[in-house]
Amino acid sequence: MVIAIIGVLIALLLPAVQAAREAARRSQCSNHLKQIGIGIHNFHDTKGGLPPITLGSTTEGVSRASLFLLIYPFMEQQSLYDLIGSRDSHAAALARKGFDVVVHVDGDKSATGYTNKGTVDWWGRFNEEEQKGFASVTSYRCPTRRGSGADSIYLGTTAETDEPGPLGDYAVPCICSSTHYWHLYYISNSADHYNKQYGPFRVALVNGNDATTGTFNYWSPRDEMAYWQDGTTNQLILGEKHVPAGFLGYSKGNQNNTDIAYSADMTYLSAGRYAVGAARNIKSQIALCNPNDFMNNTTQNSLQPTITIGSDTSTGGLYGFGSWHSGICQFLIGDGSVRGLSLTTHPANVLYPLTQVNDGVAVSLP
């Protein structure tokens, strides 16, 4: 009888304990976003401009340093920042040093020139202890999704648990004039593309201009905070990226459309086409996701499930935003505050105008 009573008490207490633990993890996730916000503001005050979403590239499919890497010194990660700056980049361009590096981590082991278990360029130039250092930046991870331990990069479609890597749970929201190839607009050397980036962060200036030519050692911020014309309190600048439960840790980063799901958890150090760890698209028809959305979606052109919001049926996407917190997705606002938005938040009426910097549309945060 006593044992039965104890069992009933445990059954009653367990959900409350689990709820309390999740509340603590959600609060910690919110604090991580706030820390990144402080880092972004300190970068702006020190460098005289907003951190670029990426340093850009001259080649489609090639990605250079992302915002998350560029704010390392303001996230108490100066040693990692200096470590990356000390490495040469591609073996075919030994004259390049510093931040003229390609930071795309690709798991396609059959590609020409790939070394060290499939990793490419800069990553293969770090020893195991140095690689673990990049995997240890807990401020870029949500404890509900990953816990507190160092995570591994997965190469290809199988887990290689001895390969630590810089996986993270937050991404920069992007809006551009293209409705399909949004990621190209953030790496292209086309001036037209540069002028049609409407998200909170844009590609860096290189050699003082918009053309991604020459050495990437000489880059500078492109925009001051006044670029957020709708105001800091009316601007989404960071959010929890969607990673389907079945693809947590996969970061193949291959250019093949059929491998798109295996890029869902791409490294936060990279931002570019099919390497979207640091950037995600917000469109008027992309709804926020829960962990079970698109678990069976492995191709870009597959028929995706729809999410109905009121009278609007919206299509989600692997390259959108979503959380493992129940019912909400947390976003960092331009003024440094963090808000948990319901997964039913309307994309067209709320998410899209809160991401576009200069549409002049005033939206009240739900």
Side-chain angles (χ1 to χ4, degrees), residues 160-178:
E160 300 210 13
T161 55
D162 61 337
E163 287 285 320
L167 302 181
D169 293 306
Y170 311 117
V172 176
C174 297
I175 288 181
C176 67
S177 62
S178 170

Side-chain angles (χ1 to χ4, degrees), residues 132-157:
K132 288 180 180 179
F134 293 104
S136 67
V137 185
T138 57
S139 296
Y140 289 160
R141 293 208 297 267
C142 169
T144 295
R145 183 179 282 168
R146 297 183 199 275
S148 59
D151 293 284
S152 299
I153 265 190
Y154 286 22
L155 305 179
T157 58

Side-chain angles (χ1 to χ4, degrees), residues 27-39:
S27 177
Q28 187 178 1
C29 176
S30 175
N31 287 334
H32 287 174
L33 283 166
K34 290 179 181 179
Q35 291 172 23
I36 298 172
I38 292 172

Side-chain angles (χ1 to χ4, degrees), residues 9-28:
L9 290 174
I10 292 176
L12 292 173
L13 287 174
L14 188 58
V17 171
Q18 291 175 334
R21 287 177 176 173
E22 168 52 20
R25 288 192 292 263
R26 186 171 64 247
S27 177
Q28 187 178 1

Side-chain angles (χ1 to χ4, degrees), residues 318-362:
L318 286 163
Y319 287 168
F321 288 83
S323 175
W324 285 27
H325 305 302
S326 179
I328 68 165
C329 181
Q330 300 199 109
F331 283 88
L332 175 66
I333 312 300
D335 62 3
S337 62
V338 174
R339 294 292 295 268
L341 302 184
S342 168
L343 296 187
T344 61
T345 300
H346 201 290
N349 296 344
V350 179
L351 298 178
Y352 191 86
L354 281 176
T355 303
Q356 189 162 346
V357 299
N358 58 358
D359 60 358
V361 176

